[in-house]
Amino acid sequence: MTSAAMPQTSRRKTAPAGPAIRLVGLSKRFGETTAVDSVDLEIRSGEFFSMLGPSGSGKTTVLRLIAGFELPTAGVIELDGKDVSARAPFERDVNTVFQDYALFPHMSLIENVAYGLRVRGVAKAVRRQRAAEALEQVQLGSFLDRRPSQLSGGQRQRVALARALVVRPKVLLLDEPLGALDLKLRQQMQVELKELQQELGITFIFVTHDQEEALTMSDRIGVFNKGRIEQVGTPEEIYERPNGPFVANFVGTSNIFPGTLGRSLYGRDDRFSVRPERIQLRPLPPEGPGTGIALTVTALVYLGHATQVRGTLPDGTTAVALIPVTAGRGGEFAVGQPAVLSWNRQDVVWLPPAS
Amino acid sequence: MSVDIRPADAAPGRPSRQALSALLYRRGRLRLAGLLTAPAAWLILVYIAALSALLITALWTVDTFTGKVSTTWTLDNLIQVTTDPVYQTIALRTLRIAVLVTVVDMVLALPIAFFIAKVASPRWRGVLVVAILMPLWASYLVKAYAWRNVLAEGGLLEWLGISSPGYSEAAVVIALSYIWLPYMILPIHAGFERVPDSLLEASSDLGAKPLATLRLVILPILVPSIIAGTIFTFALTLGDYITAQIVGGTTQMLGTVVYANVGAANNLPLASAVALIPIAVIMAYLLIVRRTGALNNL
């Protein structure tokens, strides 16, 4: 209870001074393709850091570089201030939870979890004891002698977690570990993972393409695109103040309005974005749009908790607004009908000009 | 312009054929019978009948005057084969050669199979598998004679300044190891293909050095594949008689004894009795393998 109550303070106190991981000019090329393009990144000790991006954005490659499964083409990887760029995986104090869990099929659960201790030369009785405790911690204490093939996806994932944590790594790397689970289980595991991380105070680096997952779990998020990091920040910063159209669009849905509209409304030539849930929409009054912008509704999508209204501005820009069900106004709009769009000045996020 | 639309069950064509398909669909046993009758008959003919004939012949004798097999029942052949020191020596030598060939092939096949399955690029993989299979396209006899040219006195090896094993047991082991190597590489390669890279990475990630990964992860997972390979090399070597004659000179193996008794000595019952030895050895080997539980994970 205490660890859950004050995770922030307890973590800050125990954390060493320097960053857990520092990447400097890290690049990885596979033949002609550049998977990672000179990435600079510092991951703080004890934080839950998510690497978010579409598939092929280089986030998994960065994780594999940190683990040591790939060696960088250029750049430096520092772990706790020490350069580990050229070290083999078994020489690095980081452990990985694999996307396919990578449990050893010929070993029982307890043998799987004890494996890291076994290759470190820990005595059999001790390592079995610690492995059993680790399995207990992930609620699999009664399945010690089962084989991985006898488990469900969620259980395998817990074994993989126990196996990586039992050797007490400085940093835990998680490669889309929730990707294969169904929605309910995934949401439950998100909470459990976050609690576990706060309890242990270990640095977690979590790779995901699911922006919601990244937003709910992370202390900080790094958004990857085409082998580069677009933006690093807290979930609030990433969501509320995206630094470019890619982040604005990838993290949640965004309306991106052109510079011409910026000029006519605010006297500024830049593009800007407004989140759909910050947009107010009302039917077009007979006297004209007044303070808002006229739009033609092109689609209505019922989402359960809200209704998404899509439309087109006179200049061809598409816009999306989210009408909460509690507002009870979804019925006021119909495809092909005009409506009026407006938003508050403080919800405007200016985007830097595209380079 | 009227279009003729008929319902599907009245489709033109062969109603009888459709009725047969429907009948087979409804009657699972009939379908199974149609599928398995021919192969089952073949198996019974080849395995059960041929093996029984072998066993029965071993219990008969040869009439020394006419040279014809006489159907007098006797255990003499079996007793002679198991007690005569000559046959014991030959059996032990054959067994030794088979074990050596199997061990040599295993040691050679593991790194080759690992390289093909896990290190080589996908494009090279296909090329290398074909390269492994290519020796099987050449005649067995040609390969045996080629090895004689290499190993015999005055052969390629001596020409290179290396002392030659001549016509010997060692030459037989070398030649047979070469000839049966693909049969060891292919199952082990297939086994490696089934081991996901992430398992090897996980082992390394958890702190295992490459040798520990080999011992604790790769070998245990590959045991069924390795056993499949050893059954090939072991059984094929036990039954060989051509290579033994070509590169072995006077080195007698069980196969050469069978061959001599069927041909020159015209003693089919004794040949059958000798042929039972490798069968017994292979059966014993399979029982031992089964007892270790190595086949449970197949």
Side-chain angles (χ1 to χ4, degrees):
Chain A
M1 205 51 218
T2 49
S3 60
M6 313 189 304
Q8 299 288 329
T9 48
S10 64
R11 265 162 51 217
R12 290 291 180 272
K13 252 180 243 165
T14 52
I21 291 202
R22 191 206 309 267
L23 310 177
V24 185
L26 192 66
S27 293
K28 178 67 184 177
R29 275 187 289 280
F30 297 103
E32 296 291 293
T33 44
T34 304
V36 178
D37 192 2
S38 83
V39 163
D40 296 298
L41 181 64
E42 283 192 7
I43 295 168
R44 295 172 195 145
S45 209
E47 82 175 330
F48 197 119
F49 188 90
S50 287
M51 303 208 279
L52 176 67
S55 54
S57 61
K59 57 194 191 307
T60 295
T61 308
V62 170
L63 197 81
R64 292 175 57 80
L65 285 164
I66 295 172
F69 305 140
E70 311 280 355
L71 292 178
T73 313
V76 174
I77 301 165
E78 279 180 20
L79 178 62
D80 256 357
K82 285 189 288 290
D83 183 355
V84 297
S85 315
R87 294 225 190 132
F90 51 84
E91 298 173 305
R92 300 189 190 197
D93 214 357
V94 299
N95 283 105
T96 310
V97 175
F98 290 83
Q99 190 168 13
D100 63 355
Y101 314 136
L103 300 178
F104 303 122
H106 59 294
M107 295 184 193
S108 65
L109 296 199
I110 191 155
E111 286 170 337
N112 260 288
V113 176
Y115 186 83
L117 301 169
R118 182 176 177 187
V119 297
R120 279 169 176 76
V122 176
K124 189 168 184 181
V126 179
R127 68 180 189 239
R128 280 189 77 88
Q129 170 73 21
R130 277 177 59 187
E133 280 167 17
L135 280 167
E136 194 68 52
Q137 201 175 11
V138 294
Q139 291 117 50
L140 287 169
S142 50
F143 292 170
L144 299 185
D145 293 315
R146 295 230 184 146
R147 293 280 168 124
S149 56
Q150 296 168 295
L151 301 184
S152 71
Q155 290 170 327
R156 280 179 215 188
Q157 137 105 86
R158 286 162 200 268
V159 178
L161 201 60
R163 186 179 67 174
L165 287 173
V166 80
V167 293
R168 295 176 188 150
K170 291 205 177 77
V171 177
L172 186 71
L173 309 173
L174 301 107
D175 185 9
E176 306 214 18
L178 310 181
L181 306 182
D182 62 66
L183 182 64
K184 271 270 174 270
L185 197 56
R186 198 157 72 221
Q187 287 169 341
Q188 184 195 336
M189 283 306 294
Q190 286 172 9
V191 175
E192 283 184 25
L193 268 182
K194 179 72 183 164
E195 282 176 1
L196 190 68
Q197 188 264 340
Q198 293 186 334
E199 209 176 293
L200 297 170
I202 292 177
T203 312
F204 275 35
I205 302 180
F206 187 90
V207 164
T208 180
H209 61 261
D210 183 335
Q211 45 100 7
E212 206 180 303
E213 206 165 88
L215 289 174
T216 50
M217 297 172 79
S218 321
D219 294 321
R220 286 196 308 151
I221 298 172
V223 184
F224 280 72
N225 182 32
K226 294 178 184 160
R228 292 173 168 278
I229 293 189
E230 292 273 341
Q231 188 175 2
V232 178
T234 63
E236 292 80 11
E237 286 166 356
I238 296 284
Y239 191 79
E240 301 290 343
R241 291 187 294 285
N243 68 353
F246 177 81
V247 177
N249 257 330
F250 190 74
V251 184
T253 333
S254 256
N255 294 297
I256 298 185
F257 297 108
T260 49
L261 194 63
R263 166 143 297 275
S264 65
L265 289 175
Y266 305 109
R268 187 171 160 178
D269 255 337
D270 293 323
R271 290 180 301 171
F272 63 97
S273 91
V274 183
R275 291 286 177 192
E277 64 272 21
R278 302 292 166 84
I279 282 180
Q280 286 98 49
L281 197 66
R282 57 183 198 278
L284 184 70
E287 66 272 16
T291 54
I293 300 162
L295 125 161
T296 310
V297 175
T298 56
L300 292 166
V301 183
Y302 178 67
L303 302 177
H305 64 284
T307 301
Q308 193 186 55
V309 183
R310 292 169 176 275
T312 319
L313 301 190
D315 67 354
T317 312
T318 56
V320 180
L322 218 51
I323 312 297
V325 163
T326 49
R329 282 165 39 203
E332 296 172 88
F333 305 101
V335 173
Q337 293 300 306
V340 181
L341 202 62
S342 61
W343 54 79
N344 290 325
R345 178 69 176 83
Q346 71 260 27
D347 291 328
V348 171
V349 176
W350 293 100
L351 301 176
S355 50
Chain B
M1 287 299 276
S2 76
V3 181
D4 183 19
I5 301 168
R6 284 188 238 173
D9 57 356
R14 305 185 174 94
S16 62
R17 212 158 124 181
Q18 204 175 351
L20 180 66
S21 301
L23 179 73
L24 286 177
Y25 179 78
R26 286 194 302 271
R27 306 278 172 176
R29 280 179 184 278
L30 204 62
R31 198 166 63 217
L32 207 62
L35 194 68
L36 290 183
T37 306
W42 173 251
L43 283 179
I44 289 168
L45 204 71
V46 168
Y47 284 123
I48 314 294
L51 275 179
S52 318
L54 189 73
L55 183 67
I56 290 164
T57 315
L59 298 173
W60 290 338
T61 51
V62 169
D63 190 310
T64 37
F65 290 114
T66 61
K68 278 187 178 161
V69 175
S70 83
T71 54
T72 334
W73 298 95
T74 169
L75 286 173
D76 286 355
N77 293 318
L78 295 180
I79 292 167
Q80 190 190 353
V81 161
T82 45
T83 55
D84 190 331
V86 173
Y87 292 113
Q88 287 176 348
T89 311
I90 293 174
L92 283 178
R93 180 192 297 136
T94 307
L95 203 61
R96 186 167 62 234
I97 291 173
V99 168
L100 280 172
V101 167
T102 300
V103 169
V104 168
D105 278 348
M106 209 154 69
V107 169
L108 291 177
L110 272 170
I112 294 174
F114 178 76
F115 180 82
I116 297 174
K118 292 293 169 202
V119 182
S121 66
R123 204 155 53 101
W124 271 102
R125 238 169 254 176
V127 174
L128 288 171
V129 170
V130 170
I132 296 297
L133 288 174
M134 205 126 67
L136 298 179
W137 302 352
S139 158
Y140 176 96
L141 274 178
V142 170
K143 286 184 285 186
Y145 277 112
W147 272 103
R148 177 152 91 170
N149 281 342
V150 174
L151 297 173
E153 279 143 40
L156 188 66
L157 218 55
E158 282 198 347
W159 185 71
L160 289 170
I162 304 163
S163 78
S164 137
Y167 296 103
S168 67
E169 201 178 308
V172 176
V173 171
I174 293 171
L176 285 179
S177 299
Y178 165 79
I179 290 172
W180 304 140
L181 185 58
Y183 295 94
M184 183 67 94
I185 294 179
L186 291 176
I188 297 183
H189 169 253
F192 266 122
E193 293 259 280
R194 285 200 303 270
V195 179
D197 290 348
S198 65
L199 283 192
L200 310 184
E201 286 172 358
S203 172
S204 180
D205 186 69
L206 290 163
K209 292 178 183 64
L211 269 181
T213 302
L214 180 70
R215 191 166 59 85
L216 298 173
V217 178
I218 296 178
L219 285 181
I221 293 179
L222 283 185
V223 160
S225 311
I226 294 173
I227 296 219
T230 61
I231 290 170
F232 282 129
T233 58
F234 195 67
L236 289 170
T237 307
L238 279 185
D240 185 83
Y241 69 102
I242 300 174
T243 302
Q245 285 180 347
I246 294 173
V247 303
T250 55
T251 310
Q252 294 254 35
M253 290 177 71
L254 288 174
T256 51
V257 173
V258 172
Y259 180 67
N261 274 303
V262 172
N266 191 24
N267 191 341
L268 195 59
L270 187 65
S272 297
V274 173
L276 286 175
I277 298 176
I279 294 178
V281 170
I282 282 286
M283 277 180 147
Y285 177 65
L286 286 178
L287 281 177
I288 294 168
V289 163
R290 216 178 77 131
R291 187 154 285 196
T292 59
L295 299 179
N296 293 352
N297 295 331
L298 270 179

